Amino acid sequence: MEQKNELPPLMPLTSPWMHKVMQSPTTIYQLMEKYGSPLNIHRTAPFFDNYTEYKTVFESYDLKHLVLFARKANKCKGFVEATKSSGMGVDTASYQELKQCIELGIQPEKLVVTAAIKSRKLIELAIKNRIVIILDNNDECELVQSVAEQLNMDAKVGVRVSGFSFKGSKLYSRFGFDIEGVTDLVLNHFGKAKSLNRLVYCGIHFHLNGYSIDQRGEALHQSLDLALSLGLNGFKTHFIDMGGGLLMNYLKEENQWTHFNRTLQLAVQGKHREITFQNQGLGFSMIEEKLQGELNTYPYFNDKAKAVFLKGILSYSNRAGQSCADRIKAQGIEIRMEPGRSLLDQTGMTIAKVIFRKKDALGNWLVGLEMNMTQMHSSSADFLLDPFILNQNQKDNEETTEVFFTGAYCLERDILLKRKIALKQLPAIGDLVVFVNTAGYMMHFFETEAHLFDLATNLFFKPNNETVKFSDFKID
Ligand SMILES: Cc1ncc(COP(=O)(O)O)c(C=O)c1O
């Protein structure tokens, strides 16, 4: 058994605005009084900063570009509004998302529809507003053709491509057309007197799972090859859209990340005391007395975030030594991308109120929060950031208390963070727990209204001066 037995901390990166809000608990209590717990609080300033970071990279390569915010990552209208003044566009994934963007006055040329399932209603809305639809399969092509015929209008389309070859094998995706079939699709079906004559080819789209720069570089080169060959046959590619999945970094210190990873593995092997609820392995498990698997979470710490990640893709060279950026420019193509999570870096936090504390039969402190697991839910195995606690009464010389935070659903697994968290003191009833950097996917993507709980209220922090006031928070 390892002697050093502390729980490994994971300190999150934060922004000054978050601390400003946290230093104003009276205002937070007033907000909770009115809107309930939990509260999602947003700020658009970092959204613009993140966009500027990407824009600066594109400009440094002198590339015509369009960054489309993938709004599936957060439901707030505030971020859609924010794109208007910045030059950003919006990637929409449903009828409601598109309709709202149109109503909010986003220009059609700044919108794209990438929805995985496209209803007739959605397609109609897109065609009527001359918005590019990204095509996924033959049935969808036929549906778009039929709606376009019915409306007696053309439909602007991009083709979603997958099956790129990487290190000798194909990159599998359930989405899109296999790259080998795209030339046939466009040359034999698009254009005058062909079966899909109402579809106007505008560009190529892909979105890759995972966070590999090299895979994206390869996919971009293969898309550029495809664009060349389509161009020789009279189909000009106006844009290549490389989707989202640009990495962001959540954590302050790499050594905390590696230490956590190592300690978790030891705990799963029984060589360190448990650091997660019921010793969950977050991807690791013991099979035949051997540690198997890998950490199945977002890479919360990484040194290839945002601009570095984008530069890596654009400077990725093909066998002839040409970079993606040089080829994009030479071919006169607009490069597009659809970041969701990384544009939302530092833009949001979730605050909940402590309702009870109790010890379970194993002696663990459980701290019940007025929120549920769907209001901060990662699509990966856990959200690995330490929360902040706003104690009403700070006590000196208290012993460190280790707790699990539990939620309001009637499920044994409604444990808000799987990690056991070490706190300076046991939270009191009414204390506040703040989870930072939750705007991208965490707060909205999986939220449900089970038990008829209301969804959390979304507020935007728009300070007027130094002191934080109730009126600085606008409902979305
Ligand atoms: C087509 C498409 N574009 C963009 C995104 C946004 O990706 P991210 O938020 O990881 O940047 C996704 C995410 O699933 C997607 O499917």
Side-chain angles (χ1 to χ4, degrees):
M1 184 74 75
E2 200 184 61
Q3 287 310 303
K4 270 184 76 187
N5 252 346
E6 311 96 63
L7 297 174
L10 289 171
M11 272 161 18
L13 288 167
T14 52
S15 292
W17 76 266
M18 295 173 173
H19 294 282
K20 206 168 157 178
V21 173
M22 286 192 255
Q23 281 151 15
S24 315
T26 313
T27 307
I28 304 176
Y29 282 114
Q30 286 169 354
L31 293 166
M32 271 195 183
E33 191 63 33
K34 176 146 175 92
Y35 303 114
S37 168
L39 278 177
N40 293 324
I41 301 189
H42 302 86
R43 175 118 180 94
T44 47
F47 186 65
F48 295 121
D49 295 344
N50 296 328
Y51 170 60
T52 305
E53 190 170 327
Y54 286 137
K55 187 165 124 87
T56 308
V57 174
F58 285 126
E59 284 172 353
S60 73
Y61 290 97
D62 195 21
L63 294 177
K64 196 173 170 227
H65 59 275
L66 179 61
V67 176
L68 298 133
F69 166 52
R71 66 167 303 197
K72 69 190 79 171
N74 184 290
K75 290 183 195 166
C76 288
K77 294 199 281 283
F79 291 115
V80 174
E81 282 279 4
T83 63
K84 283 202 277 191
S85 59
S86 67
M88 258 181 275
V90 188
D91 158 30
T92 63
S94 71
Y95 174 79
Q96 279 303 341
E97 282 193 6
L98 181 65
K99 183 166 165 277
Q100 220 175 53
C101 286
I102 294 169
E103 285 165 0
L104 289 168
I106 311 297
Q107 298 301 306
E109 61 277 11
K110 292 282 171 69
L111 286 169
V112 68
V113 176
T114 60
I117 298 288
K118 300 179 186 76
S119 63
R120 202 175 179 96
K121 196 166 124 182
L122 168 62
I123 292 168
E124 256 176 38
L125 186 65
I127 296 177
K128 279 184 186 161
N129 288 279
R130 299 191 158 74
I131 291 159
V132 172
I133 302 168
I134 301 299
L135 298 169
D136 176 82
N137 58 69
N138 287 321
D139 285 348
E140 209 169 84
C141 291
E142 283 171 24
L143 181 59
V144 174
Q145 168 75 15
S146 126
V147 177
E149 279 172 10
Q150 194 188 19
L151 295 173
N152 195 22
M153 290 178 78
D154 286 340
K156 291 163 100 178
V157 299
V159 179
R160 183 159 177 169
V161 180
S162 58
F164 297 102
S165 106
F166 185 72
K167 294 190 173 162
S169 22
K170 262 180 175 300
L171 294 176
Y172 173 78
S173 169
R174 79 177 176 93
F175 297 105
F177 289 88
D178 188 88
I179 186 157
E180 284 157 44
V182 177
T183 308
D184 169 63
L185 170 76
V186 177
L187 301 193
N188 297 328
H189 300 276
F190 288 20
K192 264 192 198 147
K194 305 264 177 64
S195 58
L196 301 173
N197 65 340
R198 283 295 193 173
L199 273 49
V200 179
Y201 169 76
C202 299
I204 295 168
H205 177 282
F206 65 83
H207 170 82
L208 302 187
N209 214 8
Y211 300 99
S212 161
I213 289 175
D214 291 1
Q215 288 182 2
R216 283 177 175 75
E218 284 296 336
L220 208 40
H221 278 299
Q222 289 164 44
S223 299
L224 285 158
D225 294 342
L226 178 61
L228 263 185
S229 87
L230 292 175
L232 292 173
N233 288 284
F235 287 91
K236 162 100 182 113
T237 297
H238 295 278
F239 68 79
I240 296 178
D241 183 336
M242 59 170 161
L246 287 98
L247 267 182
M248 63 175 263
N249 179 29
Y250 286 89
L251 294 175
K252 271 191 179 155
E253 292 184 17
E254 182 169 17
N255 59 2
Q256 287 192 347
W257 179 241
T258 40
H259 177 57
F260 166 76
N261 210 313
R262 211 172 36 239
T263 313
L264 177 65
Q265 293 179 44
L266 290 172
V268 173
Q269 291 172 92
K271 296 178 184 167
H272 187 285
R273 70 189 175 101
E274 298 179 358
I275 64 166
T276 53
F277 191 69
Q278 296 176 336
N279 205 19
Q280 291 181 38
L282 312 181
F284 292 110
S285 60
M286 292 300 282
I287 299 174
E288 291 177 1
E289 289 171 42
K290 278 208 186 99
L291 184 72
Q292 308 273 346
E294 57 186 333
L295 187 65
N296 183 15
T297 67
Y298 189 82
Y300 289 98
F301 180 89
N302 65 80
D303 55 8
K304 299 212 167 31
K306 291 189 284 200
V308 180
F309 194 83
L310 179 57
K311 275 188 211 159
I313 300 169
L314 294 176
S315 59
Y316 187 89
S317 291
N318 62 7
R319 280 210 203 119
Q322 300 163 300
S323 71
C324 288
D326 286 347
R327 292 188 68 198
I328 294 165
K329 199 170 165 196
Q331 287 180 223
I333 289 174
E334 178 177 273
I335 182 73
R336 297 184 172 187
M337 63 178 193
E338 300 160 351
R341 183 193 294 269
S342 62
L343 275 176
L344 294 166
D345 184 17
Q346 297 296 325
T347 64
M349 57 188 188
T350 302
I351 309 182
K353 199 185 269 183
V354 173
I355 297 293
F356 68 75
R357 303 83 38 87
K358 75 171 187 191
K359 263 195 178 169
D360 69 11
L362 302 170
N364 295 311
W365 274 111
L366 306 181
V367 175
L369 301 187
E370 192 173 8
M371 70 181 283
N372 66 67
M373 58 188 276
T374 71
Q375 292 171 319
M376 195 193 56
H377 192 82
S378 173
S379 58
S380 71
D382 200 13
F383 185 53
L384 296 177
L385 273 65
D386 288 349
F388 291 80
I389 314 297
L390 309 185
N391 301 114
Q392 298 156 101
N393 295 305
Q394 292 217 359
K395 297 182 189 154
D396 295 329
N397 309 323
E398 280 281 296
E399 260 189 36
T400 303
T401 308
E402 297 176 351
V403 309
F404 291 111
F405 293 104
T406 63
Y409 279 2
C410 62
L411 299 168
E412 289 287 353
R413 67 190 174 93
D414 194 349
I415 308 294
L416 297 163
L417 301 173
K418 312 268 183 329
R419 281 169 63 226
K420 192 179 246 188
I421 305 289
L423 303 176
K424 287 198 185 117
Q425 65 189 66
L426 180 68
I429 293 167
D431 283 358
L432 301 172
V433 180
V434 184
F435 302 99
V436 295
N437 224 349
T438 53
Y441 296 105
M442 297 296 159
M443 56 172 71
H444 290 162
F445 203 79
F446 295 100
E447 67 173 346
T448 61
E449 292 171 280
H451 307 2
L452 294 185
F453 285 125
D454 290 332
L455 298 180
T457 300
N458 293 296
L459 299 172
F460 276 79
F461 177 47
K462 299 185 177 178
N464 288 314
N465 52 39
E466 273 311 297
T467 36
V468 175
K469 298 185 303 298
F470 183 88
S471 57
D472 293 339
F473 295 84
K474 313 280 180 235
I475 199 156
D476 184 59

